[in-house]
Amino acid sequence: MSTHTASFFWGTSTSAYQIEGGNTNCDWWRYERAENTHAVEVCGDACDSWNRYEEDLDILVGLGLNAFRLSVEWARIEPEHGVFSRDALEHYRRVLEACHARGVTAVVTLHHFTLPLWVADAGGFESPHIVSWMATYAREVSASLGDLIGVACTINEPNIVAIMGYLIGLFPPQVTSWDRFVAVNQTMRACHIAMRDELKAGPGDFPVGLPLSMQEYEAVPGFEDELNSFREEMEDKYLLALRGEDYVGVQCYTKLIVGPNGVVTDPDGEVTDMGYLYWPQCVDYTVRRAIALSGAPIIVTENGIGTADDTQRIRYLDEALRGVRGLLDDGLDVRGYFQWSLLDNFEWTFGYRPRFGLVEVDRLTFRRTPKPSAQWFADAVRDFFTTA
Ligand code: BGC
């Protein structure tokens, strides 16, 4: 049996844009309404969690979980350059206080995919000012919320922002350039350091880390070099730069094949509603790789499956948690597991079709209905450290 029992974080992950609703002042809101984008529908009211966060937290606590990962929205906090919204910051203080009141550790992400319009319009991650803008934003979050933060994440999946926004062109600003992708990745690492230093300098004493998108990769024989150079940009440069950090957040969903057609999903395997290969073994694989390269403690800050078939979700989570158990049994420093996601929510360009939630959300009434997987997860977490 592991000794981690009491301190291990068991939670679910969410992000502001995907659940709050009404985040009108950011690049995604505009992107969903523009011509010639890849968005299939608008985010709109999302899950109305801006108003229903207490209900969400009650569900989480009812499942026996001790941690909640959420993000705060930069576009609400700093709606104009240098103008900070007391209303927004007070709202987020209430959310974090609601976590505390329930004994839930608040894992707070400062940037999860969206940029305020004023930042996007001034060049976004290619602006020469982006590092200082993000540092200033982090300073404000730290000063206003730091005493209530349990764990901080600076930038969610900077490598996904870079690849989707600057290499493949599926996210704003829809650029397709290897060089710009590489440059944005580099800028992201500078942003992380600047934000981390601001968070460390402010009130509160909490671990600060970066949640990285990682996948298991496999090369078609003869394409090993392609795999290595792609993965070097997506993962290795980040993980090596994160040596000595408080923790690295691992976020993993699947396995990808690198071959003559680029990076693809295995066409012969079982696929999920995201078109991803069903591959819960990725947790074991990616955590070991993250530790090998970074040497840092790990929190699995996201793992889950987009599927309308809740029995497939249970099967996936069961296998993923076996992976976590194997890691702990091998003595690896894994400090938590966050399932993505508490609620069925807005899945970016895919809209509301992929269902990642343990809890269904009625799109008209916002009524929350836990699925069988919610109870399954609660039972699995309750018994995790007491069963072999
Ligand atoms: C992102 C989430 C997203 C999830 C499922 C992660 O890449 O952080 O925002 O919803 O994967 O696709």
Side-chain angles (χ1 to χ4, degrees), residues 25-48:
N25 194 31
C26 72
D27 56 349
W28 267 86
W29 189 270
R30 182 167 65 189
Y31 174 80
E32 291 153 20
R33 287 161 180 78
E35 302 275 303
N36 301 320
T37 75
H38 297 273
V40 298
E41 62 183 313
V42 298
C43 176
D45 292 331
C47 303
D48 193 32

Side-chain angles (χ1 to χ4, degrees), residues 284-306:
D284 174 82
Y285 182 92
T286 53
V287 169
R288 286 179 199 274
R289 189 158 199 281
I291 292 175
L293 272 79
S294 74
I298 301 298
I299 301 176
V300 178
T301 37
E302 283 185 26
N303 171 247
I305 177 171

Side-chain angles (χ1 to χ4, degrees), residues 101-119:
R102 291 164 175 79
V104 169
T105 298
V107 180
V108 179
T109 305
L110 273 69
H111 178 273
H112 195 125
F113 287 3
T114 52
L115 284 177
L117 284 174
W118 67 265
V119 178

Side-chain angles (χ1 to χ4, degrees), residues 41 47 55 71 78 93 112 187 211 224 238 255 258 287 304:
E41 62 183 313
C47 303
E55 188 183 345
S71 72
E78 191 179 1
R93 275 199 76 80
H112 195 125
T187 301
E224 292 77 9
Y238 281 97
K255 176 166 85 168
V258 179
V287 169

Side-chain angles (χ1 to χ4, degrees), residues 184 323 386:
V184 167
T386 51

Side-chain angles (χ1 to χ4, degrees), residues 171-376:
F171 283 10
Q174 293 186 275
V175 171
T176 51
S177 153
W178 175 265
D179 291 348
R180 289 168 74 178
F181 159 67
V182 170
V184 167
N185 274 324
Q186 197 174 341
T187 301
M188 290 289 192
R189 290 188 282 275
C191 289
H192 164 72
I193 290 169
M195 296 171 83
R196 179 201 64 199
D197 290 350
E198 293 294 348
L199 287 162
K200 289 273 179 197
D205 181 17
F206 45 84
V208 181
L210 178 140
L212 191 68
S213 170
M214 294 183 69
Q215 314 303 341
E216 191 165 337
Y217 287 99
E218 193 178 295
V220 172
F223 287 84
E224 292 77 9
D225 288 350
E226 282 80 355
L227 184 157
N228 286 333
S229 64
F230 181 70
R231 190 167 57 182
E232 187 185 12
E233 269 312 314
M234 287 297 284
E235 298 185 1
D236 303 13
K237 285 186 182 174
Y238 281 97
L239 293 168
L240 294 171
L242 293 169
R243 290 195 150 268
E245 299 267 333
D246 293 344
Y247 77 95
V248 168
V250 168
Q251 314 207 146
C252 55
Y253 291 87
T254 187
K255 176 166 85 168
L256 296 169
I257 312 289
V258 179
N261 301 317
V263 183
V264 293
T265 295
D266 181 350
D268 301 324
E270 175 183 354
V271 291
T272 72
D273 289 350
M274 291 291 284
Y276 294 168
L277 179 69
Y278 172 90
W279 199 256
Q281 301 91 313
C282 64
V283 175
D284 174 82
Y285 182 92
T286 53
V287 169
R288 286 179 199 274
R289 189 158 199 281
I291 292 175
L293 272 79
S294 74
I298 301 298
I299 301 176
V300 178
T301 37
E302 283 185 26
N303 171 247
I305 177 171
T307 180
D309 176 357
D310 203 46
T311 61
Q312 190 188 32
R313 184 178 346 273
I314 291 172
R315 200 157 46 89
Y316 183 99
L317 293 176
D318 189 28
E319 188 66 34
L321 292 189
R322 277 178 218 280
V324 174
R325 184 183 301 281
L327 295 164
L328 294 174
D329 286 349
D330 286 351
L332 297 174
D333 191 354
V334 181
R335 301 192 178 176
Y337 174 91
F338 290 75
Q339 183 269 352
W340 181 276
S341 186
L342 181 66
L343 308 172
D344 284 340
N345 62 47
F346 180 72
E347 182 52 35
W348 307 109
T349 49
F350 290 86
Y352 287 98
R353 187 182 57 82
R355 307 289 171 101
F356 279 91
L358 297 176
V359 176
E360 186 182 330
V361 179
D362 186 294
R363 299 269 0 105
L364 292 176
T365 64
F366 304 113
R367 190 189 144 97
R368 278 88 164 120
T369 310
K371 303 176 191 176
S373 58
Q375 192 53 52
W376 182 90

